[in-house]
Amino acid sequence: MNDARLEPEALRTAMQSVGNWAISEDDTAISRDFRFTDFREAFAFMSECALAAERLDHHPEWSNVYNRVGVSLTTHSSGGISARDIEMAGIMDRAASRFG
Ligand code: HBI
């Protein structure tokens, strides 16, 4: 998976393959807010995603307040959104879908 910044058309196509992620105004990151039943589920989600991030060597910028997890993904080396961000977003979508 390369770190090259996705061009606008490729980015639009790639965004169709993930859930309700928003592109930042400066087109450098994608973000999504996840909401779970309780803190336990939120933290279990974060734990699962943390292991995936290590496997991918692609780490989210995220925050957690009780049952909510806010996530932002960007590719530092290209200063924008790459296929790695899209891949990680899909992994997070699928992890979240396994909770209530
Ligand atoms: N995580 N989200 C994100 N973006 C990056 O560019 C990134 C990362 N984790 C590790 C990393 N870059 C680099 O340390 C490795 O690709 C070498």
XYZ file of all heavy atoms in Angstrom:
797
model
N 0.881 -1.187 0.000
C 0.000 0.000 0.000
C 0.904 1.218 0.000
O 1.716 1.397 0.872
C -0.860 -0.049 1.262
C -1.910 1.021 1.327
S -3.248 0.788 0.149
C -3.949 -0.750 0.662
N 0.740 2.127 -1.002
C 1.662 3.275 -1.012
C 1.063 4.484 -0.314
O -0.116 4.548 -0.046
C 2.065 3.594 -2.454
C 0.890 4.177 -3.231
O 0.058 4.875 -2.651
N 0.810 3.872 -4.498
N 1.951 5.412 -0.035
C 1.577 6.600 0.734
C 1.252 7.782 -0.168
O 1.028 8.866 0.336
C 2.763 7.023 1.617
C 2.936 6.072 2.785
O 2.178 5.096 2.846
O 3.828 6.305 3.606
N 1.203 7.549 -1.471
C 0.988 8.695 -2.379
C -0.379 9.316 -2.115
O -1.374 8.606 -1.880
C 1.072 8.228 -3.824
N -0.420 10.640 -2.146
C -1.684 11.358 -1.949
C -2.645 11.014 -3.078
O -2.251 10.978 -4.238
C -1.373 12.869 -1.935
C -2.571 13.734 -1.699
C -2.166 15.185 -1.551
N -3.306 15.988 -1.111
C -3.164 17.121 -0.447
N -1.960 17.570 -0.142
N -4.233 17.813 -0.077
N -3.887 10.704 -2.746
C -4.886 10.401 -3.763
C -5.334 11.697 -4.445
O -5.650 12.685 -3.775
C -6.097 9.710 -3.121
C -5.862 8.287 -2.600
C -7.050 7.843 -1.751
C -5.635 7.314 -3.765
N -5.360 11.656 -5.755
C -5.858 12.819 -6.512
C -7.374 12.924 -6.315
O -8.018 11.924 -5.982
C -5.516 12.635 -7.989
C -3.999 12.675 -8.268
C -3.337 13.957 -7.769
O -3.926 15.048 -7.942
O -2.274 13.844 -7.131
N -7.945 14.105 -6.503
C -9.382 14.326 -6.202
C -10.326 13.277 -6.752
O -11.171 12.742 -6.019
C -9.643 15.708 -6.793
C -8.327 16.409 -6.689
C -7.274 15.355 -6.940
N -10.174 12.886 -7.985
C -11.096 11.920 -8.596
C -10.928 10.542 -7.937
O -11.906 9.887 -7.554
C -10.838 11.819 -10.106
C -11.834 10.909 -10.847
C -13.282 11.393 -10.671
O -13.484 12.610 -10.596
O -14.190 10.526 -10.562
N -9.692 10.151 -7.737
C -9.428 8.851 -7.095
C -9.925 8.863 -5.653
O -10.438 7.869 -5.144
C -7.925 8.569 -7.137
N -9.803 10.018 -5.008
C -10.273 10.134 -3.619
C -11.783 9.978 -3.559
O -12.321 9.250 -2.729
C -9.833 11.482 -3.026
C -10.326 11.781 -1.615
C -9.925 10.680 -0.647
C -9.796 13.138 -1.142
N -12.479 10.640 -4.496
C -13.945 10.534 -4.501
C -14.364 9.067 -4.697
O -15.248 8.567 -4.008
C -14.529 11.406 -5.632
C -14.874 12.831 -5.214
C -15.740 13.534 -6.235
N -15.034 13.700 -7.517
C -14.182 14.703 -7.739
N -13.900 15.572 -6.762
N -13.567 14.838 -8.904
N -13.693 8.398 -5.588
C -14.020 6.980 -5.824
C -13.726 6.149 -4.579
O -14.554 5.347 -4.140
C -13.199 6.460 -7.015
O -13.471 7.260 -8.160
C -13.515 5.002 -7.300
N -12.584 6.398 -3.979
C -12.190 5.615 -2.794
C -13.162 5.839 -1.634
O -13.502 4.910 -0.889
C -10.776 5.993 -2.373
N -13.669 7.064 -1.515
C -14.564 7.372 -0.395
C -15.892 6.609 -0.500
O -16.581 6.413 0.493
C -14.816 8.873 -0.333
C -13.617 9.697 0.113
S -13.074 9.294 1.788
C -14.319 10.180 2.721
N -16.184 6.140 -1.693
C -17.434 5.377 -1.868
C -17.317 3.991 -1.232
O -18.314 3.300 -1.021
C -17.775 5.251 -3.363
C -18.157 6.587 -3.994
C -18.219 6.513 -5.534
O -18.154 5.435 -6.124
N -18.314 7.661 -6.159
N -16.068 3.593 -0.929
C -15.875 2.231 -0.397
C -15.865 2.191 1.132
O -15.714 1.132 1.741
C -14.541 1.668 -0.911
O -13.463 2.414 -0.348
N -16.018 3.389 1.744
C -16.003 3.420 3.217
C -17.294 4.053 3.726
O -18.083 4.623 2.958
C -14.772 4.172 3.770
C -13.490 3.442 3.419
C -14.723 5.608 3.255
N -17.477 3.998 5.028
C -18.713 4.509 5.646
C -18.754 6.025 5.681
O -18.187 6.711 4.828
N -19.380 6.556 6.710
C -19.687 7.974 6.795
C -18.487 8.802 7.268
O -18.516 9.398 8.347
C -20.865 8.155 7.769
C -21.363 9.576 7.774
O -21.195 10.297 6.780
N -21.936 9.992 8.874
N -17.458 8.816 6.467
C -16.239 9.587 6.744
C -16.323 10.930 6.030
O -16.841 11.010 4.914
C -15.001 8.831 6.281
C -14.732 7.601 7.095
C -15.355 6.396 6.987
C -13.773 7.457 8.155
N -14.849 5.507 7.917
C -13.882 6.128 8.633
C -12.835 8.325 8.733
C -13.087 5.645 9.674
C -12.035 7.847 9.773
C -12.169 6.522 10.240
N -15.791 11.965 6.667
C -15.799 13.309 6.082
C -14.378 13.689 5.682
O -13.415 13.381 6.397
C -16.332 14.309 7.101
N -14.260 14.362 4.556
C -12.958 14.872 4.112
C -12.784 16.260 4.720
O -13.711 17.076 4.700
C -12.897 14.960 2.573
C -13.132 13.583 1.943
C -11.559 15.545 2.121
C -13.267 13.612 0.421
N -11.601 16.511 5.282
C -11.361 17.832 5.909
C -11.388 18.930 4.852
O -11.185 18.676 3.658
C -10.003 17.828 6.618
O -8.967 17.605 5.668
N -11.617 20.148 5.316
C -11.737 21.281 4.373
C -10.469 21.437 3.536
O -10.523 21.803 2.359
C -12.013 22.571 5.167
C -13.468 22.703 5.588
C -13.808 24.122 6.055
O -12.996 25.039 5.826
O -14.887 24.273 6.654
N -9.324 21.123 4.132
C -8.059 21.287 3.381
C -7.660 20.010 2.637
O -6.544 19.894 2.136
C -6.943 21.742 4.329
C -6.663 20.703 5.410
O -7.334 19.633 5.405
O -5.788 20.958 6.254
N -8.581 19.028 2.612
C -8.344 17.764 1.872
C -7.120 16.987 2.372
O -6.527 16.213 1.602
C -8.139 18.043 0.369
C -9.466 18.346 -0.331
O -10.536 18.003 0.223
O -9.427 18.947 -1.422
N -6.753 17.168 3.623
C -5.557 16.448 4.114
C -5.896 15.275 5.012
O -5.002 14.493 5.359
C -4.639 17.397 4.916
O -5.392 17.896 6.042
C -4.146 18.542 4.055
N -7.170 15.126 5.408
C -7.519 14.041 6.338
C -8.979 13.646 6.160
O -9.776 14.402 5.583
C -7.283 14.496 7.783
N -9.304 12.444 6.645
C -10.704 12.018 6.718
C -11.023 11.758 8.185
O -10.140 11.362 8.965
C -10.979 10.762 5.867
C -10.069 9.593 6.238
C -10.858 11.102 4.386
C -10.414 8.284 5.546
N -12.281 11.998 8.548
C -12.654 11.836 9.963
C -14.029 11.205 10.082
O -14.858 11.269 9.155
C -12.649 13.185 10.682
O -13.645 14.031 10.118
N -14.240 10.564 11.204
C -15.540 9.966 11.493
C -15.718 9.892 13.003
O -14.748 9.656 13.731
C -15.650 8.553 10.893
C -17.014 7.921 11.142
C -17.234 6.614 10.404
N -18.599 6.136 10.676
C -19.104 5.007 10.206
N -18.381 4.207 9.431
N -20.346 4.634 10.494
N -16.928 10.088 13.461
C -17.276 9.923 14.879
C -18.045 8.621 15.040
O -19.082 8.416 14.385
C -18.135 11.093 15.379
C -17.326 12.382 15.496
O -16.126 12.283 15.841
O -17.873 13.455 15.205
N -17.562 7.764 15.903
C -18.231 6.493 16.198
C -18.884 6.610 17.573
O -18.311 7.175 18.498
C -17.215 5.339 16.227
C -16.579 5.039 14.892
C -15.379 5.637 14.536
C -17.182 4.157 14.003
C -14.778 5.364 13.303
C -16.591 3.862 12.782
C -15.391 4.470 12.421
N -20.062 6.014 17.695
C -20.772 6.008 18.983
C -21.155 4.566 19.319
O -21.720 3.851 18.466
C -22.024 6.878 18.915
C -22.724 7.005 20.255
C -23.952 7.888 20.176
N -23.564 9.252 19.753
C -24.238 10.328 20.153
N -25.275 10.186 20.975
N -23.892 11.527 19.749
N -20.840 4.166 20.544
C -21.101 2.791 20.962
C -22.077 2.759 22.133
O -22.491 3.801 22.629
C -19.766 2.119 21.342
C -18.794 2.070 20.193
C -17.856 3.076 20.018
C -18.854 1.050 19.256
C -16.980 3.062 18.935
C -17.981 1.017 18.174
C -17.046 2.023 18.009
N -22.418 1.538 22.578
C -23.383 1.419 23.670
C -22.845 2.013 24.960
O -23.556 2.656 25.731
C -23.720 -0.073 23.902
O -24.187 -0.620 22.660
C -24.771 -0.254 24.979
N -21.552 1.753 25.203
C -20.956 2.202 26.478
C -19.442 2.304 26.307
O -18.901 2.047 25.240
C -21.322 1.222 27.615
C -20.977 -0.218 27.251
O -20.060 -0.405 26.423
O -21.635 -1.145 27.772
N -18.799 2.674 27.382
C -17.337 2.841 27.324
C -16.643 1.521 27.014
O -15.672 1.474 26.267
C -16.836 3.385 28.673
C -15.327 3.448 28.742
C -14.623 4.440 28.049
C -14.604 2.506 29.465
C -13.236 4.496 28.089
C -13.211 2.560 29.512
C -12.529 3.549 28.818
N -17.165 0.441 27.579
C -16.510 -0.851 27.379
C -16.420 -1.171 25.880
O -15.381 -1.593 25.360
C -17.290 -1.952 28.111
C -16.628 -3.334 28.114
C -17.567 -4.398 28.610
N -18.733 -4.485 27.713
C -18.701 -5.092 26.523
N -17.577 -5.643 26.087
N -19.777 -5.159 25.763
N -17.529 -0.965 25.165
C -17.511 -1.232 23.720
C -16.580 -0.253 22.996
O -15.836 -0.656 22.101
C -18.926 -1.132 23.149
C -19.810 -2.301 23.501
C -20.932 -2.509 22.494
O -21.143 -1.622 21.635
O -21.586 -3.558 22.545
N -16.622 1.007 23.392
C -15.756 1.989 22.743
C -14.297 1.606 22.907
O -13.500 1.655 21.958
C -16.022 3.379 23.338
N -13.943 1.194 24.102
C -12.538 0.853 24.352
C -12.158 -0.458 23.671
O -11.032 -0.607 23.170
C -12.265 0.777 25.866
C -10.800 0.822 26.176
C -10.115 2.035 26.119
C -10.094 -0.331 26.485
C -8.756 2.084 26.382
C -8.722 -0.279 26.745
C -8.057 0.922 26.685
N -13.097 -1.380 23.591
C -12.814 -2.637 22.872
C -12.573 -2.343 21.391
O -11.655 -2.911 20.770
C -13.987 -3.596 23.046
N -13.367 -1.435 20.853
C -13.178 -0.994 19.462
C -11.781 -0.393 19.291
O -11.043 -0.736 18.357
C -14.257 0.028 19.107
C -14.001 0.825 17.865
C -14.188 0.276 16.601
C -13.561 2.146 17.958
C -13.958 1.024 15.442
C -13.324 2.900 16.810
C -13.525 2.342 15.550
N -11.400 0.478 20.216
C -10.085 1.124 20.117
C -8.965 0.086 20.234
O -7.962 0.153 19.518
C -9.948 2.199 21.195
C -10.889 3.368 21.001
S -10.716 4.608 22.288
C -9.234 5.455 21.707
N -9.155 -0.865 21.102
C -8.117 -1.901 21.268
C -7.937 -2.698 19.977
O -6.806 -2.953 19.540
C -8.519 -2.849 22.414
O -8.625 -2.128 23.623
N -9.064 -3.072 19.366
C -8.993 -3.839 18.108
C -8.333 -3.001 17.022
O -7.459 -3.477 16.276
C -10.410 -4.245 17.698
C -10.457 -5.085 16.431
C -11.854 -5.616 16.129
O -12.679 -5.760 17.059
O -12.120 -5.850 14.936
N -8.705 -1.735 16.939
C -8.152 -0.859 15.890
C -6.678 -0.558 16.150
O -5.894 -0.400 15.203
C -8.944 0.434 15.808
S -10.628 0.195 15.210
N -6.304 -0.521 17.414
C -4.893 -0.250 17.735
C -4.007 -1.368 17.185
O -2.936 -1.116 16.620
C -4.714 -0.109 19.235
N -4.472 -2.596 17.299
C -3.691 -3.731 16.780
C -3.632 -3.689 15.254
O -2.596 -3.960 14.646
C -4.305 -5.052 17.271
C -4.289 -5.260 18.794
C -4.975 -6.571 19.161
C -2.857 -5.216 19.324
N -4.726 -3.292 14.641
C -4.738 -3.163 13.176
C -3.796 -2.047 12.733
O -3.041 -2.191 11.764
C -6.157 -2.878 12.695
N -3.799 -0.957 13.480
C -2.908 0.169 13.142
C -1.452 -0.257 13.218
O -0.631 0.123 12.379
C -3.165 1.333 14.097
N -1.137 -1.057 14.204
C 0.234 -1.560 14.314
C 0.556 -2.480 13.135
O 1.634 -2.376 12.540
C 0.426 -2.314 15.637
C 0.724 -1.405 16.808
C 2.019 -0.618 16.612
O 3.092 -1.199 16.799
O 1.953 0.558 16.217
N -0.380 -3.322 12.777
C -0.133 -4.227 11.635
C 0.117 -3.436 10.354
O 1.010 -3.733 9.580
C -1.347 -5.150 11.433
C -1.400 -6.342 12.343
C -2.388 -7.417 11.845
N -3.703 -6.875 11.527
C -4.709 -6.759 12.417
N -4.486 -7.096 13.680
N -5.892 -6.273 12.047
N -0.691 -2.367 10.174
C -0.591 -1.551 8.953
C 0.525 -0.524 9.046
O 0.891 0.106 8.065
C -1.920 -0.830 8.688
C -2.951 -1.534 7.803
C -3.465 -2.789 8.456
C -4.105 -0.597 7.510
N 1.018 -0.314 10.284
C 1.917 0.826 10.527
C 1.268 2.106 10.035
O 1.863 2.932 9.336
C 3.274 0.615 9.858
C 4.281 1.644 10.344
O 4.104 2.148 11.471
O 5.202 1.978 9.582
N -0.017 2.270 10.388
C -0.772 3.455 9.985
C -1.730 3.771 11.125
O -2.648 2.996 11.387
C -1.539 3.183 8.685
C -1.916 4.433 7.970
N -0.986 5.236 7.327
C -3.106 5.057 7.833
C -1.608 6.279 6.810
N -2.893 6.202 7.095
N -1.482 4.853 11.827
C -2.106 5.081 13.125
C -3.107 6.231 13.109
O -2.818 7.279 12.528
C -1.011 5.351 14.150
C -0.009 4.247 14.232
N 1.059 4.147 13.350
C 0.061 3.167 15.020
C 1.758 3.066 13.634
N 1.186 2.431 14.638
N -4.240 6.029 13.742
C -5.250 7.103 13.792
C -4.856 8.192 14.774
O -4.115 7.953 15.733
C -6.502 6.373 14.280
C -5.982 5.240 15.090
C -4.689 4.821 14.442
N -5.400 9.371 14.527
C -5.432 10.434 15.541
C -6.851 10.340 16.091
O -7.811 10.450 15.312
C -5.161 11.791 14.900
C -3.759 11.887 14.301
C -3.584 13.113 13.435
O -4.278 14.117 13.663
O -2.765 13.061 12.494
N -7.003 10.028 17.364
C -8.357 9.777 17.865
C -8.535 10.282 19.282
O -7.584 10.559 19.998
C -8.734 8.314 17.777
C -7.747 7.311 18.295
C -6.572 7.551 18.952
C -7.847 5.884 18.163
N -5.963 6.354 19.224
C -6.720 5.322 18.777
C -8.801 5.024 17.620
C -6.511 3.940 18.839
C -8.600 3.664 17.681
C -7.459 3.130 18.284
N -9.841 10.450 19.646
C -10.185 10.867 21.008
C -11.362 10.009 21.459
O -12.157 9.528 20.648
C -10.595 12.345 21.024
O -11.753 12.520 20.204
N -11.434 9.816 22.786
C -12.523 8.991 23.340
C -13.158 9.701 24.528
O -12.427 10.156 25.437
C -11.943 7.642 23.783
C -12.862 6.895 24.729
O -12.472 6.622 25.872
N -14.080 6.583 24.283
N -14.499 9.853 24.444
C -15.249 10.369 25.580
C -16.366 9.358 25.847
O -17.298 9.225 25.051
C -15.857 11.756 25.303
C -16.659 12.233 26.501
C -14.750 12.754 24.938
N -16.229 8.616 26.915
C -17.188 7.576 27.322
C -17.484 6.616 26.161
O -16.639 5.799 25.814
C -18.462 8.198 27.918
C -19.452 7.152 28.379
C -19.063 6.162 29.305
C -20.742 7.085 27.862
C -19.946 5.169 29.711
C -21.618 6.095 28.252
C -21.216 5.142 29.162
O -22.085 4.143 29.540
N -18.665 6.719 25.518
C -19.027 5.751 24.468
C -18.732 6.250 23.060
O -19.163 5.630 22.090
C -20.521 5.389 24.594
C -21.424 6.586 24.278
O -21.071 7.729 24.590
N -22.555 6.325 23.644
N -17.987 7.359 22.971
C -17.766 7.943 21.648
C -16.276 7.963 21.320
O -15.423 8.173 22.190
C -18.311 9.375 21.627
C -19.807 9.411 21.926
C -20.329 10.792 22.056
N -20.175 11.519 20.786
C -20.821 12.649 20.526
N -21.602 13.182 21.429
N -20.671 13.262 19.397
N -15.993 7.675 20.052
C -14.609 7.724 19.568
C -14.578 8.566 18.296
O -15.275 8.252 17.324
C -14.084 6.302 19.264
C -12.634 6.357 18.775
C -14.172 5.402 20.514
N -13.801 9.662 18.371
C -13.615 10.504 17.182
C -12.296 10.152 16.537
O -11.273 10.019 17.231
N -12.290 9.953 15.226
C -11.102 9.474 14.518
C -10.760 10.401 13.355
O -11.649 10.855 12.642
C -11.332 8.058 13.952
C -10.066 7.540 13.259
C -11.764 7.095 15.062
N -9.469 10.640 13.195
C -8.982 11.348 12.007
C -7.815 10.551 11.434
O -6.973 10.037 12.188
C -8.512 12.758 12.371
O -7.953 13.403 11.237
N -7.803 10.419 10.119
C -6.731 9.677 9.447
C -6.082 10.554 8.388
O -6.769 11.205 7.603
C -7.312 8.419 8.775
C -7.878 7.342 9.706
C -8.683 6.315 8.900
C -6.767 6.656 10.468
N -4.785 10.571 8.372
C -4.033 11.292 7.351
C -2.723 10.558 7.119
O -2.313 9.727 7.944
C -3.754 12.755 7.786
O -3.141 13.460 6.707
C -2.830 12.803 8.992
N -2.097 10.841 5.990
C -0.795 10.225 5.712
C 0.271 11.305 5.800
O 0.371 12.173 4.922
C -0.801 9.556 4.330
O -1.781 8.510 4.349
C 0.564 8.947 4.012
N 1.022 11.260 6.880
C 1.965 12.353 7.175
C 2.978 12.514 6.044
O 3.286 13.621 5.624
C 2.706 12.057 8.479
C 1.780 11.750 9.613
N 1.968 10.704 10.481
C 0.605 12.305 9.988
C 0.992 10.654 11.366
N 0.153 11.605 11.091
N 3.454 11.380 5.516
C 4.560 11.466 4.548
C 4.131 12.155 3.253
O 4.960 12.730 2.555
C 5.072 10.058 4.230
O 3.974 9.254 3.830
N 2.846 12.107 2.941
C 2.404 12.752 1.692
C 1.598 14.019 1.984
O 1.169 14.715 1.073
C 1.530 11.782 0.880
O 0.348 11.506 1.595
N 1.354 14.301 3.249
C 0.605 15.508 3.623
C -0.812 15.492 3.111
O -1.427 16.536 2.864
N -1.323 14.270 2.936
C -2.701 14.220 2.433
C -3.343 12.883 2.745
O -2.950 12.186 3.682
N -4.344 12.522 1.941
C -5.103 11.288 2.138
C -4.599 10.272 1.113
O -4.586 10.553 -0.091
C -6.606 11.538 1.926
C -7.102 12.634 2.885
C -7.409 10.241 2.124
C -8.446 13.223 2.499
N -4.149 9.122 1.613
C -3.630 8.077 0.725
C -4.494 6.826 0.833
O -5.413 6.751 1.664
C -2.194 7.733 1.120
O -2.198 6.953 2.316
N -4.136 5.837 0.054
C -4.883 4.565 0.075
C -4.800 3.913 1.451
O -5.691 3.180 1.869
C -4.327 3.635 -0.986
N -3.725 4.225 2.185
C -3.587 3.666 3.533
C -4.652 4.207 4.468
O -5.169 3.487 5.334
C -2.182 3.949 4.086
C -1.098 3.091 3.427
C 0.259 3.746 3.503
N 0.725 4.002 4.849
C 1.581 3.220 5.512
N 1.969 2.097 4.973
N 2.010 3.540 6.713
N -5.010 5.446 4.297
C -6.072 6.031 5.124
C -7.408 5.362 4.815
O -8.189 5.030 5.706
C -6.153 7.537 4.885
C -4.875 8.256 5.303
O -4.448 8.096 6.457
O -4.287 8.944 4.435
N -7.647 5.132 3.522
C -8.893 4.486 3.104
C -8.937 3.052 3.639
O -9.961 2.588 4.159
C -9.026 4.489 1.570
C -8.977 5.934 1.014
C -10.281 3.747 1.124
C -10.090 6.842 1.506
N -7.801 2.381 3.563
C -7.752 1.002 4.071
C -8.038 0.959 5.572
O -8.828 0.154 6.053
C -6.377 0.398 3.790
C -6.244 -1.058 4.238
C -4.868 -1.656 4.002
O -3.912 -0.881 3.794
O -4.767 -2.897 4.043
N -7.427 1.875 6.301
C -7.634 1.908 7.759
C -9.069 2.290 8.082
O -9.691 1.736 9.001
C -6.652 2.889 8.400
C -6.574 2.819 9.904
S -6.017 1.193 10.497
C -6.541 1.315 12.199
N -9.641 3.189 7.304
C -11.038 3.591 7.528
C -11.962 2.386 7.358
O -12.880 2.160 8.162
C -11.425 4.708 6.567
N -11.712 1.593 6.346
C -12.535 0.399 6.120
C -12.406 -0.596 7.255
O -13.399 -1.190 7.702
N -11.204 -0.746 7.749
C -10.988 -1.657 8.880
C -11.749 -1.158 10.112
O -12.412 -1.926 10.825
C -9.486 -1.783 9.186
C -8.798 -2.582 8.074
C -9.224 -2.392 10.556
C -7.283 -2.566 8.127
N -11.713 0.157 10.322
C -12.425 0.719 11.492
C -13.930 0.594 11.323
O -14.650 0.269 12.266
C -11.994 2.168 11.708
C -10.500 2.295 12.001
S -9.965 3.971 12.403
C -9.930 3.859 14.188
N -14.411 0.814 10.119
C -15.849 0.635 9.855
C -16.281 -0.789 10.211
O -17.291 -0.999 10.896
C -16.164 0.878 8.378
C -16.041 2.335 7.969
O -16.070 3.230 8.855
O -15.902 2.584 6.753
N -15.512 -1.752 9.749
C -15.885 -3.167 9.960
C -15.786 -3.530 11.444
O -16.644 -4.236 11.978
C -15.000 -4.068 9.099
C -15.368 -4.010 7.613
C -14.625 -5.033 6.761
N -13.194 -4.736 6.638
C -12.700 -3.832 5.784
N -13.507 -3.090 5.030
N -11.400 -3.613 5.699
N -14.778 -3.003 12.112
C -14.645 -3.277 13.554
C -15.852 -2.705 14.298
O -16.458 -3.379 15.144
C -13.350 -2.667 14.086
N -16.227 -1.489 13.948
C -17.361 -0.849 14.645
C -18.660 -1.601 14.388
O -19.506 -1.726 15.291
C -17.496 0.606 14.188
N -18.793 -2.174 13.186
C -20.064 -2.834 12.831
C -20.287 -4.115 13.652
O -21.396 -4.626 13.731
C -20.062 -3.180 11.343
O -19.136 -4.229 11.087
N -19.238 -4.595 14.292
C -19.384 -5.829 15.090
C -19.891 -5.550 16.499
O -20.130 -6.453 17.279
C -18.023 -6.550 15.153
C -17.643 -7.164 13.817
C -16.485 -8.163 13.945
N -15.205 -7.485 14.094
C -14.448 -7.080 13.050
N -14.895 -7.249 11.813
N -13.278 -6.490 13.230
N -20.083 -4.242 16.807
C -20.626 -3.906 18.126
C -22.098 -3.526 17.996
O -22.559 -3.190 16.908
C -19.817 -2.757 18.751
C -18.421 -3.165 19.130
C -17.370 -2.935 18.255
C -18.167 -3.811 20.331
C -16.075 -3.331 18.578
C -16.865 -4.205 20.663
C -15.826 -3.971 19.776
N -22.790 -3.515 19.079
C -24.234 -3.258 19.102
C -24.575 -1.846 18.643
O -23.770 -0.981 18.586
N 0.136 6.790 10.590
N -1.870 7.865 10.082
C -0.528 7.652 9.844
N 0.050 8.331 8.856
C 1.348 8.161 8.580
O 1.860 8.806 7.665
C 2.112 7.263 9.349
C 1.452 6.572 10.369
N 2.133 5.703 11.128
C 3.553 5.431 10.931
C 4.138 6.229 9.844
N 3.444 7.064 9.110
C 5.601 6.096 9.555
O 6.307 6.086 10.771
C 5.894 4.779 8.839
O 5.179 4.770 7.657
C 7.396 4.695 8.529
